[in-house]
Amino acid sequence: MILDNRGLEPPQPMMRTLAALENLKKNEILTIMNDRRPMFLYEQLEELGYKQRTEPQEDGSFKIEIFK
């Protein structure tokens, strides 16, 4: 599942991401695209038991893969 949060103002990207995680099944990966590094999201993911991988993109955005 890919969620493109680019162009949205905070806190919309984090709210959309957390809502999408509610539907994430075991062994699935949620990939989000953000304009900025989601520093506050990382804390939430850790509390909820998710892991993440963040890759800066050439255009300055960030690709974040979220999984259990």
Side-chain angles (χ1 to χ4, degrees), residues 18-68:
L18 292 174
L21 286 175
E22 291 178 10
N23 299 318
L24 194 67
K25 294 179 177 62
K26 188 175 180 176
N27 297 323
E28 285 186 333
I29 295 174
L30 172 62
T31 301
I32 62 171
M33 300 298 296
N34 278 20
D35 290 322
R36 13 183 123 61
R37 190 178 295 271
M39 301 311 291
F40 296 113
L41 177 64
Y42 296 143
E43 296 171 19
Q44 290 288 318
L45 294 176
E46 188 173 328
E47 286 179 21
L48 295 170
Y50 290 96
K51 297 186 187 307
Q52 58 79 26
R53 235 182 337 256
T54 300
E55 296 177 28
Q57 303 297 294
E58 288 184 17
D59 66 358
S61 67
F62 292 87
K63 174 183 170 184
I64 300 99
E65 296 176 321
I66 303 169
F67 51 94
K68 278 268 188 186

